Amino acid sequence: MKVIVLLSLLVSSVVAQDGYAALNGGTTGGAGGTTTTVSAAAAFQTAIKSNTPKVVFLKGPISLSSQASIGNNTSIIGVGTTGIINGGGLRTVGTSNVIIRNLVINKVKGNDAITVQKAHNIWIDHNEFFSDTDHGFDFYDGQVDLTHACDFITVSWNFFHDHFKCSLIGHDPGNSKEDTGKFHITYHHNHWNNIHTRTPAMRFAHVHSFNNLFENVVSQGIHSRSFAQVLIEGNVFVNTTEPGESIVFTLNEIQRLTNLQCLHTGDFEPDGFANFGAASDFGTGRNNITATGNFTSVPYTYTLTPLTSVRSTVTSGAGVGKI
Ligand SMILES: *[C@@H]1O[C@H](CO)[C@@H](O)[C@H](O)[C@H]1NC(C)=O
Ligand SMILES: *[C@@H]1O[C@H](CO)[C@@H](O)[C@H](O)[C@H]1NC(C)=O
Ligand SMILES: *[C@@H]1O[C@H](CO)[C@@H](O)[C@H](O)[C@H]1NC(C)=O
Ligand SMILES: *[C@@H]1O[C@H](CO)[C@@H](O)[C@H](O)[C@H]1NC(C)=O
Ligand SMILES: CC(=O)N[C@H]1CO[C@H](CO)[C@@H](O)[C@@H]1O
């Protein structure tokens, strides 16, 4: 009897986490700790910052003027569709075991919507991120930026929309010493719409990208550079608005420089690798792959949504109010 009870507790505490966040001991956030519901900015900032296990429910909206820091062993979960954070955003640095679910984080100026650094076992699931594209490329920063050797992260079922530069893995091609061998990250069932770049852009990483829906990606989509390896499976691209641009992209600008061709905005660093598993639908988008890699399987089990169902499954399942 005891065994059965224990097993069912274990199952319920790890429910739904998958991908890389499920490895390396798993990602349970604040499961088993205290539970609080907050609805004011100051109470929210206090509730999320300790390192003791805790589940913090946000009944917003709240407005933040700077990023709020999340401690170890923390789950932050929006209540219904009220988990709205205007401005500010979240950061978790030097931590592990953090779950961020069912929040709407929007229009963060001067910082990312979520910054993760030197952290491992992080699960970012069923959130919505948006700003606008009325200003320039750098008016807002990233939506989910994962830098400084973070590892074992899953980004699933999020709705990213109306933004220039969505998600960056690895901030600097000169940071190989810290980053090489880290950045094992899964992106699945995310919905991206009206995005200019970085779905994601990665350096040094091993990224498994499956069953994501990309609508109206205006410029570069999945960008693999500085020796990164991406495994692409069962993704759907719809209405890529500049069909001549690159949807999956591994190119750097070094070749062009050495070929004495004109300087061109871009990143002067080594190429990445792209690997293709189960078929994707690239629509009118065109890929530009300079190097096929050797990252052809992942060390966890997962179930692919059939390609013909990806658009409807992701449209109805991604974002807030769905968990
Ligand atoms: C938070 O987690 C990190 C990574 O596991 C650990 O190094 C750090 O000591 C933890 N902080 C506290 C205060 O326990
Ligand atoms: C497709 O892209 C065009 C050009 O940007 C845009 O005007 C149109 O709204 C898009 N269609 C859909 C269904 O998103
Ligand atoms: C790849 O991109 C480069 C730079 O934009 C371009 O010169 C080249 O023609 C592209 N190749 C393909 C096959 O699209
Ligand atoms: C995979 O390819 C990378 C880049 O060429 C290489 O550094 C690495 O050793 C390869 N790994 C295996 C297991 O062959
Ligand atoms: C209860 C729980 O999950 N505790 C964990 C808190 O985080 C540390 C690492 O920072 C883990 O070692 C604990 O197991």
Side-chain angles (χ1 to χ4, degrees):
M1 299 302 180
K2 265 184 189 152
V3 172
I4 291 166
V5 171
L6 186 62
L7 274 177
S8 68
L9 278 174
L10 278 173
V11 168
S12 67
S13 72
V14 297
V15 66
Q17 58 153 331
D18 55 15
Y20 275 112
L23 303 185
N24 192 42
T27 304
T28 53
T34 57
T35 296
T36 48
T37 300
V38 295
S39 52
F44 175 76
Q45 284 167 293
T46 304
I48 67 173
K49 75 179 178 197
S50 81
N51 289 293
T52 49
K54 62 205 167 294
V55 180
V56 178
F57 290 101
L58 174 62
K59 200 170 179 185
I62 58 170
S63 294
L64 298 175
S65 54
S66 61
Q67 279 184 317
S69 289
I70 309 169
N72 290 320
N73 307 317
T74 305
S75 300
I76 304 175
I77 303 175
V79 176
T81 55
T82 70
I84 299 167
I85 300 176
N86 299 313
L90 301 173
R91 67 191 281 108
T92 192
V93 177
T95 49
S96 67
N97 198 22
V98 172
I99 295 174
I100 301 170
R101 300 186 79 192
N102 205 37
L103 301 179
V104 179
I105 307 179
N106 70 97
K107 298 197 174 186
V108 179
K109 284 206 290 187
N111 257 318
D112 310 316
I114 297 180
T115 297
V116 180
Q117 297 179 356
K118 302 180 182 180
H120 63 87
N121 290 95
I122 311 291
W123 184 33
I124 298 171
D125 177 73
H126 278 100
N127 302 288
E128 178 176 345
F129 303 96
F130 70 92
S131 52
D132 58 62
T133 52
D134 303 337
H135 308 83
F137 189 83
D138 291 318
F139 187 77
Y140 300 105
D141 207 335
Q143 291 183 314
V144 172
D145 280 12
L146 312 171
T147 61
H148 292 283
C150 50
D151 216 351
F152 298 104
I153 297 178
T154 297
V155 179
S156 52
W157 298 102
N158 299 286
F159 183 24
F160 297 90
H161 62 101
D162 299 292
H163 198 76
F164 274 93
K165 41 182 188 180
C166 277
S167 188
L168 178 68
I169 301 164
H171 69 298
D172 185 347
N175 208 48
S176 65
K177 203 170 169 195
E178 183 183 19
D179 293 340
T180 298
K182 304 291 185 177
F183 294 148
H184 294 89
I185 303 171
T186 307
Y187 285 74
H188 74 86
H189 295 94
N190 296 291
H191 184 185
W192 316 74
N193 196 356
N194 190 27
I195 295 304
H196 283 247
T197 63
R198 303 185 185 172
T199 68
M202 67 197 80
R203 298 184 169 103
F204 307 111
H206 281 73
V207 169
H208 185 204
S209 167
F210 70 92
N211 289 153
N212 298 286
L213 171 64
F214 304 82
E215 293 184 284
N216 303 300
V217 173
V218 177
S219 184
Q220 292 165 2
I222 299 170
H223 190 180
S224 175
R225 51 190 172 177
S226 280
F227 311 115
Q229 297 261 0
V230 59
L231 173 58
I232 292 167
E233 306 197 86
N235 288 317
V236 172
F237 292 78
V238 177
N239 200 32
T240 48
T241 51
E242 290 182 24
E245 279 286 343
S246 300
I247 294 314
V248 180
F249 193 70
T250 62
L251 197 72
N252 65 72
E253 302 294 312
I254 289 172
Q255 290 169 329
R256 228 164 307 160
L257 274 180
T258 53
N259 289 343
L260 298 177
Q261 292 182 23
C262 60
L263 278 175
H264 174 289
T265 47
D267 302 304
F268 299 88
E269 61 184 282
D271 289 14
F273 300 88
N275 305 270
F276 295 93
S280 293
D281 177 355
F282 293 105
T284 54
R286 193 172 65 180
N287 296 331
N288 198 328
I289 311 295
T290 54
T292 304
N294 54 22
F295 178 49
T296 52
S297 66
V298 288
Y300 52 80
T301 57
Y302 59 103
T303 305
L304 283 172
T305 301
L307 193 58
T308 51
S309 306
V310 167
R311 192 174 181 181
S312 60
T313 299
V314 173
T315 301
S316 60
V320 298
K322 313 285 172 71
I323 62 171

